[in-house]
Amino acid sequence: MATISSAGIGSGLDVNSIVTQLMAIEKQPLTALQTKATTIQSTVSEYGKIKSAVSTLRDLAAKLAGTSTWGQTVTNSSSTAVSAASNNSTAGSYTVEVQALASVQTIATASAVPATTTPGAGTLRIELGTWGGVGQTSFTPKAGAAAVNIAVTATDTLADVRDKINGAGAGVTALIMPDASGSRLLIRSNTSGAASAFRTSGIASLAFDPSAGATAMTQSQIAADAQATVNGLAVTSTSNTLSNIVDGLTLNFSALTTAPVTVNVVTDTESLKKTLTDFAAAYTALVKLIATDTKYDATTRKGGILQGDGAAVGLQRQLRALAGAASTASTVFGHLSDVGLELQSDGSMTLNAGKVGNALGNLAELKKLFSNTHLLDASQDGFGRRFRAATDAMLGVDGALTTRTDGLGEQLQRNQKAQDALNVRLEGIEKRMRAQYTALDATMAVLNSQSSYITQQIAAFNASNSSR
């Protein structure tokens, strides 16, 4: 009997097609599970977007609830000679006059010489300190700063000396300044201020110490402190930056003044307006996202991915209630709409520039409307604190968003387990089907062979009888 090497060859049955079609029916429950998993994953993705939008709104609400936001100030000055920077310093006006700028001591070799010139061998000594007396007749070494000795060989050029000075950590910097006549060695203090002056000794051509009569190097600039008056009070500084003249206010001097300069510290209304604008935009982005996810499109007859989702609908209602609520935190403003944050028919929130401008004119009450806290009466809490508390709860461990996404995650796990179990069952079913149809194929091949043999025998018998 002939053997069958491939299902269907012996019988003519398309076994593979039959099994494939039967398995397609068997796999319908698996397809349903896979479709359900895709839907759950899409829902999880949408909730991820909602959580991100809630987080953005929470951060802005926290900003409006905080006191530092309402203390932001900026500065302006009546002259470029004096500029100012504010780190939440108190609003006010200051009169500033600059009598002297801070500077670094700078000395240079007396004349230009070829770059290959050697100053001579010896030990160059550099010492930081403060000059005193008319004509720098005395020198007081700087406390805690030891003099630095630098060995110079007979073959060291000006460039070699420069490099040795810069590598010695002596509190000064050396450089070579070329001109048409040759090169000069310059040495200057690393920091400004009278206490960062220096003297040099040990090598005659590089010596500068007026108190000892050594002036081989010439001084082009003395070390000096900045001197100014602020609101009539004399101040000095080792640099041209005066930090914390008053809390959070820094003054920067760039030139001497010929007349009093007015520096104003004012409330940073533009920053506040931007924060309010960002809050309205964050609220709008969140409510529109939820609205899109939960709406039904009558034209396409399709619902959003979260249509009918109780958690999403609940968040939508909570946000609308918060935005439209009243507050007694301020005696002037009672609703967000009073300060220009107006709800529209589509649920979005827009900024009314005129109302916001008026509200910023009454900063104390506007601050209360957003940042006020009352331990016993929640109706007196500001809207910044309310929104922060609500969004914190939404994102918390037991919050609506966390609970919903955790539940979706559990659904996905159960779905995957069901898919895995069904795949195992389907593998068994397909294996049995193929075994059964393979056996049927073999049996039919035998029957077909026997039928062919009998047909041949009958034909031969008939032919034999007809020939007689």
Side-chain angles (χ1 to χ4, degrees), residues 1 23 43 136 301 371 428 436:
M1 183 183 297
M23 286 305 300
T43 304
Q136 299 176 323
R301 296 183 179 181
S371 65
Q436 290 169 352

Side-chain angles (χ1 to χ4, degrees), residues 3-287:
T3 59
I4 301 173
S5 60
S6 180
I9 291 179
S11 65
L13 291 173
D14 189 350
V15 174
N16 284 328
S17 178
I18 293 171
V19 172
T20 299
Q21 292 180 58
L22 289 173
M23 286 305 300
I25 297 172
E26 295 288 343
K27 287 180 178 179
Q28 286 180 355
L30 177 63
T31 302
L33 284 171
Q34 291 170 337
T35 300
K36 181 62 175 176
T38 299
T39 300
I40 296 172
Q41 288 168 343
S42 298
T43 304
V44 170
S45 177
E46 286 307 306
Y47 265 105
K49 294 177 184 177
I50 291 174
K51 288 177 75 172
S52 177
V54 170
S55 180
T56 299
L57 182 62
R58 178 189 62 182
D59 292 344
L60 287 162
K63 193 173 181 181
L64 288 169
T67 57
S68 61
T69 298
W70 303 94
Q72 295 179 94
T73 53
V74 292
T75 63
N76 60 66
S77 173
S78 63
S79 170
T80 57
V82 181
S83 61
S86 172
N87 182 19
N88 293 338
S89 56
T90 304
S93 184
Y94 304 89
T95 301
V96 182
E97 295 181 79
V98 182
Q99 292 85 27
L101 293 175
S103 58
V104 298
Q105 179 181 326
T106 304
I107 60 175
T109 48
S111 58
V113 296
T116 56
T117 299
T118 56
T123 299
L124 177 62
R125 183 180 178 85
I126 301 175
E127 188 174 19
L128 299 179
T130 305
W131 293 108
V134 178
Q136 299 176 323
T137 55
S138 65
F139 185 85
T140 303
K142 189 173 185 177
V148 174
N149 296 314
I150 302 170
V152 178
T153 67
T155 58
D156 283 339
T157 63
L158 291 180
D160 294 328
V161 174
R162 173 201 62 195
D163 295 341
K164 287 186 174 183
I165 292 173
N166 291 338
V172 299
T173 297
L175 55 94
I176 301 294
M177 185 178 72
D179 59 26
S181 303
S183 299
R184 295 174 185 268
L185 176 69
L186 273 68
I187 306 175
R188 59 179 176 79
S189 309
N190 286 345
T191 56
S192 60
S196 293
F198 64 93
R199 62 181 175 180
T200 60
S201 60
I203 297 178
S205 62
L206 302 179
F208 179 81
D209 184 359
S211 65
T215 56
M217 297 188 76
T218 59
Q219 181 172 243
S220 58
Q221 183 171 271
I222 64 171
D225 291 337
Q227 298 179 26
T229 56
V230 179
N231 284 357
L233 299 176
V235 293
T236 60
S237 173
T238 58
S239 72
N240 290 313
T241 297
L242 277 68
S243 300
N244 288 325
I245 289 299
V246 294
D247 288 342
L249 179 64
T250 297
L251 298 177
N252 298 294
F253 304 147
S254 60
L256 303 182
T257 58
T258 56
V261 175
T262 300
V263 174
N264 295 309
V265 181
V266 296
T267 300
D268 189 357
T269 55
E270 288 304 313
S271 178
L272 287 173
K273 189 182 296 183
K274 183 179 185 305
T275 301
L276 293 171
T277 302
D278 291 345
F279 176 81
Y283 176 89
T284 297
L286 175 55
V287 297

Side-chain angles (χ1 to χ4, degrees), residues 326-329 372-382 385-386:
S327 172
T328 57
N372 196 56
T373 302
H374 198 285
L375 297 178
L376 301 178
D377 186 357
S379 68
Q380 295 187 42
D381 281 344
R385 302 192 68 84
R386 291 187 187 185

Side-chain angles (χ1 to χ4, degrees), residues 394-468:
M394 292 174 187
L395 296 169
V397 175
D398 297 322
L401 289 173
T402 304
T403 302
R404 184 69 176 112
T405 51
D406 287 349
L408 290 169
E410 291 172 359
Q411 287 184 41
L412 273 177
Q413 290 178 358
R414 290 195 298 270
N415 181 285
Q416 187 59 55
K417 288 180 180 179
Q419 287 189 51
D420 293 342
L422 190 51
N423 274 319
V424 172
R425 178 172 171 270
L426 289 171
E427 287 176 4
I429 291 173
E430 183 173 4
K431 186 176 181 180
R432 288 194 300 274
M433 280 187 181
R434 290 195 178 278
Q436 290 169 352
Y437 277 97
T438 299
L440 175 61
D441 184 49
T443 300
M444 291 189 68
V446 171
L447 292 174
N448 285 339
S449 178
Q450 291 174 345
S451 175
S452 178
Y453 175 74
I454 292 171
T455 300
Q456 290 174 3
Q457 292 301 311
I458 291 172
F461 177 77
N462 289 337
S464 174
N465 285 338
S466 63
S467 65
R468 290 178 182 179

